[in-house]
Amino acid sequence: MTVEHNSADAPVVIIGAGPVGVTAALLLARRGVRSIVLERHRDVYPLPRAVATDDEVCRILQAAGVEEEFAAISRPAKGLRLLDARHRVMAEFRRFGHGPHGYPQTSMFDQPELERLLRDALARRPECELRGGAEVTAVGPDTAGPVRVTYRDDDGEHHLWAQAVLGCDGAHSLTRDAIGALWEDLRFEEHWTVVDVRTNAGVRCWEGVDQVCDPDRPATFMRVGEDRYRWEFRLRDGDEPVRELVAPWVPPSYDGDFEVVRKTRYTFRARVADRWHQGRIFLLGDAAHLTPPFIGQGLCAGLRDAYNLTWKLARVLQQGAEEGLLDTYESERKPHARHVIRLAVVMGWAMTGGQDGAAALRRSLLAAACRVPGLTELAGRDLSPPLSAGPLVRRRTRRGLVGTHCPQPWVSAGGRRTRLDDVLGDSFTVLTATDPWPSQSALAHGLGVRAVCAADLGDDGTLAAWLRAGRADAVLLRPDRVVMDIVPAGGRDFTDTAAWASLLHTTRGPHPSPRTVEKSTLRSATR
């Protein structure tokens, strides 16, 4: 039996209920957009996969409403150490304390636990519906208008008509095939064994990640939880027993509890899809990009995809913003993801030594570079680069705040301390160092965004110092807290308003030009 559903039942269909798909649904729900999530499995995949995230992604989980639950299941990590073949420390890249987004710079976690808390949050949102045991078999058409999604479950075949489809369906994505996207190979492929263990043994470790730079047997090791550990080893010919692999960390004489939760083989690849959307069919997460795990950015990249796309999609679906706003998803996220993947490839080749004749030279250069004063501290900072210039990133120089994230300090609101994003909500925001100029307030009013003075937020001076360091008197923040444009120090107005203002207008009523908005609202504000 085939069942047809009306398009009103599914404004957005999300294919895949992993962390990326469920987070996207929660972010849409926060903005009042209803979604149906289709997942072929009936329950959370029980084995661990991703184990690390950064402070930027914790901020995204805050936007999804699960930051407190995530804090309860995660543990901060100190960063990364490079070890030689004899396990002597070559360098430490420390990432301790809280980062600019207001969370630990690196956090370790168990992916099944993260998925469960995300699904629990999803169940509390009336805007979301999760359908387990639903295997998607077709997506299309991809022309303007509703998109048909076909899936099968125990009751037969069903069709949904959606205003947008988010393909969060992994490396073997049906959605990617449906839009005709192909992989761009970034030239990295290695075969590794991943071992997850639960034990109370006195495992020799530090509270971070160890990378063994041994050309004969490169390995990665990290403590994930109180009694949870992960090892990754590049494969040799043949299968080696787990206890032999982990002997440098767990004494061979130990005969207590030692549970191998998972042992599996992975092929680490570096790939980016050549296109990320067609019409309103979008690729997110592993459907759009694959990265080696050496800098722990695989899941992070997927959640950044969800954060970047959902606020734009909500603005188009609910406020009638221009369709061109959705094109900025790929133009912003694709170069960013490619940069991070290439960084992971470079780190992978440097740390593992590779398998060619230049391996010894690379290890020597790495050891020498690690002795340069200040280099390890610099390398331990935020791994996420600024967004490339475009319609929503009005960068005029290679340096500066535009394209970067606004920091998130604790601020005062209604007599209580809270995080900055909880005060700003989902709005665009004009953030000023001092009381805004009338023209800045007028522009904010005319475009339907907020104007906030940093001095009035009651933070610890973080925002004022950030503005001074960026030589800005005011910034325009997007809903994802990326700096879209600035008023340079000594200036009064955003200098390129007309170039981006049309994307922010809605179709509710006639739209005056950006210049008309500025002039008319400025007159009313200065009377």
Side-chain angles (χ1 to χ4, degrees):
M1 179 178 67
T2 299
V3 181
E4 296 279 352
H5 290 264
N6 187 278
S7 60
D9 292 335
V12 177
V13 169
I14 299 172
I15 304 173
V20 176
V22 177
T23 299
L26 291 171
L27 293 170
L28 288 171
R30 168 177 172 162
R31 295 174 171 88
V33 178
R34 295 172 52 247
S35 65
I36 294 176
V37 184
L38 302 177
E39 170 56 50
R40 62 190 182 95
H41 298 293
R42 294 192 178 278
D43 200 359
V44 169
Y45 185 73
L47 298 179
R49 286 162 289 169
V51 293
T53 190
D54 60 23
D55 56 323
E56 180 185 339
V57 169
C58 289
R59 191 174 186 175
I60 296 173
L61 295 176
Q62 174 190 340
V66 297
E67 73 277 14
E68 292 184 3
E69 293 93 334
F70 181 72
I73 67 165
S74 62
R75 57 188 297 134
K78 291 183 177 179
L80 170 71
R81 294 194 311 186
L82 304 185
L83 311 181
D84 65 14
R86 296 170 62 183
H87 289 213
R88 295 173 301 188
V89 177
M90 298 166 56
E92 289 186 7
F93 301 89
R94 287 191 170 267
R95 290 173 64 83
F96 53 87
H98 282 53
H101 298 281
Y103 293 93
Q105 288 184 292
T106 301
S107 296
M108 311 302 293
F109 66 96
D110 180 48
Q111 182 170 334
E113 288 186 312
L114 171 62
E115 292 196 33
R116 290 187 191 98
L117 72 86
L118 286 170
R119 289 198 184 192
D120 288 345
L122 195 74
R124 296 192 294 268
R125 299 298 311 223
E127 304 91 344
C128 307
E129 180 185 351
L130 172 61
R131 298 182 184 178
E135 182 176 3
V136 175
T137 58
V139 177
D142 52 22
T143 56
V147 181
R148 188 174 73 173
V149 178
T150 303
Y151 72 94
R152 276 197 301 262
D153 62 14
D154 293 342
D155 296 325
E157 186 175 81
H158 308 262
H159 296 310
L160 290 173
W161 293 90
Q163 298 178 49
V165 172
L166 276 54
C168 307
D169 46 348
H172 303 290
S173 170
L174 178 145
T175 312
R176 188 178 60 250
D177 293 339
I179 68 171
L182 301 174
W183 282 125
E184 174 190 349
D185 192 348
L186 299 184
R187 300 182 181 277
F188 185 94
E189 183 170 315
E190 289 190 348
H191 305 287
W192 286 61
T193 292
V194 178
V195 180
D196 287 279
V197 168
R198 179 175 285 112
T199 179
N200 289 312
V203 179
R204 182 166 59 85
C205 69
W206 78 313
E207 294 297 325
V209 179
D210 278 342
Q211 179 63 55
V212 181
C213 304
D214 179 0
D216 184 53
R217 171 45 60 82
T220 304
F221 166 68
M222 65 206 76
R223 184 177 185 179
V224 178
E226 193 65 32
D227 61 350
R228 281 277 321 284
Y229 302 88
R230 170 171 289 185
W231 285 269
E232 299 170 356
F233 303 94
R234 192 168 66 194
L235 284 174
R236 294 173 173 171
D237 294 335
D239 191 22
E240 298 178 68
V242 170
R243 290 304 301 267
E244 291 184 16
L245 290 171
V246 306
W249 293 271
V250 181
S253 59
Y254 178 73
D255 61 357
D257 64 308
F258 190 88
E259 177 190 358
V260 178
V261 178
R262 181 186 68 151
K263 179 185 178 185
T264 189
R265 297 187 175 194
Y266 275 103
T267 299
F268 295 158
R269 294 186 173 95
R271 293 178 175 178
V272 177
D274 63 349
R275 69 166 74 171
W276 287 33
H277 81 107
Q278 181 170 300
R280 288 192 181 175
I281 305 174
F282 301 89
L283 304 179
L284 293 81
D286 286 353
H289 42 74
L290 298 174
T291 182
F294 301 113
I295 58 174
Q297 289 291 301
L299 179 60
C300 296
L303 294 183
R304 290 189 183 100
D305 296 342
Y307 202 29
N308 185 287
L309 177 60
T310 50
W311 74 263
K312 299 171 182 177
L313 185 58
R315 199 167 182 90
V316 170
L317 295 180
Q318 289 199 313
Q319 301 179 35
E322 289 189 7
E323 196 78 13
L325 183 62
L326 300 177
D327 294 332
T328 66
Y329 166 63
E330 179 174 344
S331 65
E332 290 182 351
R333 285 295 306 139
K334 187 176 179 180
H336 188 283
R338 181 185 284 112
H339 175 95
V340 172
I341 293 170
R342 284 178 171 162
L343 179 59
V345 169
V346 169
M347 291 292 286
W349 280 115
M351 293 189 298
T352 67
Q355 298 173 334
D356 58 15
L361 176 60
R362 278 194 295 272
R363 290 193 302 278
S364 298
L365 292 175
L366 175 63
C370 290
R371 292 192 291 270
V372 176
L375 181 61
T376 55
E377 288 80 3
L378 180 64
R381 294 180 186 172
D382 193 354
L383 298 174
S384 181
L387 294 184
S388 302
L392 297 179
V393 179
R394 307 307 303 168
R395 191 185 305 169
R396 290 172 290 278
T397 64
R398 294 183 63 85
R399 297 180 179 272
L401 300 181
V402 179
T404 69
H405 285 86
C406 171
Q408 182 180 216
W410 288 87
V411 298
S412 297
R416 63 186 182 90
R417 301 293 287 172
T418 188
R419 298 183 189 272
L420 176 66
D421 289 359
D422 293 334
V423 173
L424 300 184
D426 292 324
S427 172
F428 281 82
T429 302
V430 174
L431 179 67
T432 61
T434 58
D435 289 338
W437 288 86
S439 57
Q440 295 169 8
S441 297
L443 177 61
H445 175 74
L447 295 177
V449 305
R450 301 181 63 185
V452 177
C453 176
D456 296 335
L457 289 171
D459 72 327
D460 57 1
T462 296
L463 294 173
W466 173 70
L467 290 167
R468 285 195 303 271
R471 299 179 181 179
D473 281 346
V475 294
L476 177 61
L477 300 179
R478 308 181 339 177
D480 56 4
R481 304 302 162 235
V482 170
V483 177
M484 180 171 169
D485 204 353
I486 71 167
V487 175
R492 293 182 56 175
D493 299 310
F494 296 99
T495 57
D496 205 12
T497 307
W500 49 256
S502 63
L503 285 177
L504 306 187
H505 284 302
T506 70
T507 56
R508 295 173 183 171
H511 292 163
S513 70
R515 295 184 184 277
T516 303
V517 170
E518 290 183 74
K519 290 178 181 179
S520 63
T521 52
L522 176 58
R523 282 196 297 270
S524 63
T526 54
R527 284 174 181 167

